[in-house]
Amino acid sequence: MLQCRQSMVINIIRRKWCSGCFWVGLEGQVFSFGCQQGFNYQQRCGLVNVKLKWVKDRALDAVVSGERDLRAACILVSMISSSPHSCVPIYLLSRHRGQLGLPHDLKLSTFIRRYPTVFQESHNLDGGGTRVPCFGLTPEVLKLHQEELDIIEKNQVDLVNRLRKLLMLTRDRTLPLQTIDQLKWDLGLPNDYHYSLIPHHSRFFSLVTLPDKRDGLKLLSWDNDLAVSQLQKNAALQQNENDVKNGCLAFPIGFTRGFGLRRKSMEWLKEWQRLPYTSPYSDASLLDSRTDVSEKRIVGVFHELLHLTIEKKTERKNVSNLRKPLALPQKFTKVFERHPGIFYISKKNDTQTVVLREAYDHQQLLHRHPLVEIRERFGSMMRTGLLERSRGFYKRSAGAGVEQDRSDDVYVDEMDDTQGSSEEESDCKLFSDYDSDDPIHEPC
């Protein structure tokens, strides 16, 4: 019965583009507004100059902490597991350093040695007799990685649809592979999706050469069933059919405890919530970019984009080059600061990460993708190894002397070895910045 009702309401959404009435939960209060009708109304609403302050949210900061090390380690695990001998020399891994997002002053070998429960170190001799560090994976990680591959296989339709919806958000249904690469971790795509996923779905995707000579991915067909935003789906379940028919869709909004909203800002927010909702999958070329209505459309685009990610967050820099593909105006990311009740900007890990507030209850992700559990188990394994290593466990137990003596390793694994962090320094940082916003290269 519920599915029939949802299907009927979604069909109404597809047929009807209209203005809306919205609600906002503000410090426990709920406001409801009447609908405003008409395209002329939209064009008369100018962009109001309101700036809301940023307030630290410790719970969401904790969600972001450790993400950088976890992502880098998982990428390395994927690379090593796919190698013929499941053991890769450090100089080959260093060629892919740009994908890892690690600080420039951190040696890759130092990072890998932080996590002995994930990586195993051995040595080979090169042609000149130099000992070259090589890294493989522990049996526990190999088993966990196989579980991850099984989950990706079982959820392949879901992952493909996320990628299709991402391309449907764009103006030309095309994105550079470089842009997708920046989002692949957040979308849950395998590291080698170019080869393991795309070729198996040639009816949906085509690899193309873009006018600037870059490689791109093009969506071959439009799917109306996918062209429904998450906000519209939620409205079909949570609100009555008349509100949906009239376009009265609600952005859930919540603020950090202690967030004070001035009366002027409160009034602006109420008016802003009365403005029409434009589906991110619809043509918005007629909207005036200088209006609050256009801004609401931009908020809707990023609201949908974050819902496409499996953890409802992504680094701000990952969306900075989406302006032209998404047909957005200049300085479009300012909506993150103007709407702190919808988006939270975490400043952890020496970067800015945009988190969708409604997706979390404190630190708990409300709707968990199966891949999220695998990543949490990876993270737990990394923390265990890092803690044991800081206590000297691996130095005492290393029978082969791998942890105890690397004095003969004169092979330089980085272009500039003088900038590398010391092994002692790496032990001072438990899983890369939990309690501080200071840069990772600051002294312990």
Side-chain angles (χ1 to χ4, degrees):
M1 182 69 178
L2 182 60
Q3 292 179 346
C4 293
R5 180 178 180 271
Q6 180 180 2
S7 177
M8 178 180 64
V9 174
I10 289 178
N11 286 333
I12 294 174
I13 292 173
R14 293 199 191 105
R15 295 193 304 265
K16 187 78 173 177
W17 181 77
C18 184
S19 59
C21 67
F22 298 85
W23 59 265
V24 50
L26 181 62
E27 297 179 348
Q29 301 178 16
V30 177
F31 303 97
S32 60
F33 313 105
C35 297
Q36 299 281 357
Q37 302 284 339
F39 181 76
N40 290 333
Y41 170 80
Q42 300 173 29
Q43 300 306 301
R44 289 199 302 268
C45 294
L47 187 62
V48 179
N49 185 19
V50 173
K51 183 177 181 180
L52 303 182
K53 65 179 181 179
W54 177 85
V55 178
K56 187 180 183 67
D57 190 316
R58 295 187 181 276
L60 294 182
D61 279 342
V63 171
V64 175
S65 294
E67 176 82 6
R68 178 174 58 194
D69 282 18
L70 176 60
R71 179 173 62 246
C74 288
I75 292 174
L76 288 170
V77 166
S78 178
M79 291 178 180
I80 295 173
S81 65
S82 61
S83 66
H85 304 292
S86 295
C87 188
V88 182
I90 186 63
Y91 64 85
L92 290 181
L93 291 176
S94 296
R95 295 176 183 176
H96 303 279
R97 180 189 176 92
Q99 302 180 32
L100 306 180
L102 295 174
H104 296 296
D105 60 349
L106 175 65
K107 287 177 61 176
L108 182 56
S109 59
T110 298
F111 170 79
I112 295 175
R113 287 168 181 148
R114 288 179 180 178
Y115 305 110
T117 51
V118 178
F119 304 103
Q120 290 182 332
E121 183 176 358
S122 60
H123 296 83
N124 291 332
L125 298 179
D126 64 8
T130 303
R131 279 164 42 106
V132 180
C134 299
F135 294 96
L137 303 174
T138 64
E140 295 80 10
V141 166
L142 285 172
K143 180 180 178 181
L144 186 57
H145 181 59
Q146 186 57 52
E147 289 185 42
E148 180 184 22
L149 295 178
D150 293 340
I151 289 176
I152 289 175
E153 180 64 29
K154 292 179 181 178
N155 291 271
Q156 191 168 137
V157 173
D158 171 70
L159 298 178
V160 167
N161 285 341
R162 290 173 188 267
L163 184 54
R164 292 170 67 193
K165 287 171 73 74
L166 174 65
L167 293 173
M168 289 171 64
L169 288 175
T170 66
R171 178 174 50 194
D172 300 324
R173 319 299 176 225
T174 305
L175 278 176
L177 287 180
Q178 181 182 3
T179 300
I180 300 176
D181 286 345
Q182 293 174 331
L183 291 167
K184 64 183 178 181
W185 167 266
D186 300 317
L187 294 172
L189 300 176
N191 191 55
D192 61 347
Y193 74 96
H194 314 74
Y195 313 106
S196 63
L197 193 68
I198 300 301
H200 300 292
H201 300 277
S202 56
R203 64 192 179 105
F204 297 138
F205 309 112
S206 175
L207 293 172
V208 296
T209 301
L210 303 177
D212 57 7
K213 306 303 180 184
R214 289 187 296 172
D215 294 329
L217 187 66
K218 184 177 181 62
L219 183 68
L220 297 180
S221 60
W222 182 272
D223 190 336
N224 285 330
D225 290 333
L226 294 180
V228 180
S229 70
Q230 188 64 43
L231 190 64
Q232 291 170 321
K233 291 179 182 178
N234 292 342
L237 294 175
Q238 299 173 2
Q239 303 184 24
N240 63 58
E241 296 175 14
N242 289 331
D243 285 346
V244 175
K245 184 176 180 180
N246 292 327
C248 297
L249 308 183
F251 277 112
I253 293 181
F255 292 95
T256 305
R257 181 181 295 274
F259 188 97
L261 201 60
R262 296 179 179 178
R263 183 178 183 87
K264 179 181 178 181
S265 299
M266 175 84 75
E267 293 174 352
W268 165 78
L269 186 57
K270 290 180 180 179
E271 291 297 324
W272 187 87
Q273 288 283 51
R274 291 192 182 101
L275 300 178
Y277 171 79
T278 305
S279 169
Y281 297 102
S282 65
D283 181 11
S285 59
L286 296 178
L287 287 180
D288 187 341
S289 62
R290 299 166 297 178
T291 64
D292 274 352
V293 176
S294 176
E295 182 189 58
K296 171 157 279 189
R297 188 254 174 181
I298 298 173
V299 170
V301 168
F302 287 114
H303 183 271
E304 181 69 4
L305 179 61
L306 289 174
H307 266 292
L308 294 182
T309 65
I310 63 175
E311 296 184 73
K312 317 310 178 193
K313 58 184 173 65
T314 190
E315 289 188 24
R316 185 171 183 165
K317 64 183 180 181
N318 291 342
V319 300
S320 62
N321 58 352
L322 288 173
R323 186 180 72 83
K324 290 184 178 180
L326 296 179
L328 300 176
Q330 296 282 354
K331 299 182 179 180
F332 62 93
T333 59
K334 291 296 183 181
V335 298
F336 300 140
E337 283 91 357
R338 281 170 59 86
H339 297 279
I342 301 176
F343 309 108
Y344 175 67
I345 301 178
S346 173
K347 300 179 181 180
K348 288 288 186 177
N349 298 333
D350 300 331
T351 187
Q352 293 189 11
T353 302
V354 183
V355 185
L356 188 63
R357 282 190 179 276
E358 69 186 72
Y360 286 87
D361 181 8
H362 298 287
Q363 297 182 33
Q364 297 300 316
L365 185 62
L366 296 178
H367 301 285
R368 295 165 56 85
H369 192 278
L371 285 174
V372 173
E373 180 183 355
I374 292 291
R375 291 179 178 181
E376 289 180 349
R377 290 166 62 187
F378 263 120
S380 177
M381 192 176 297
M382 291 170 66
R383 287 189 293 271
T384 299
L386 184 60
L387 182 61
E388 291 178 350
R389 183 179 183 280
S390 68
R391 293 173 175 173
F393 175 81
Y394 286 92
K395 289 184 179 181
R396 293 193 299 270
S397 62
V402 170
E403 283 285 333
Q404 292 177 314
D405 183 13
R406 288 192 294 271
S407 59
D408 295 334
D409 300 347
V410 296
Y411 199 93
V412 179
D413 62 296
E414 305 289 341
M415 293 299 293
D416 185 2
D417 193 37
T418 61
Q419 294 182 350
S421 300
S422 66
E423 291 296 312
E424 290 78 9
E425 181 184 0
S426 70
D427 287 337
C428 297
K429 301 176 178 65
L430 294 182
F431 208 42
S432 204
D433 186 19
Y434 274 107
D435 301 315
S436 173
D437 289 323
D438 297 333
I440 192 171
H441 55 270
E442 290 293 326
C444 299

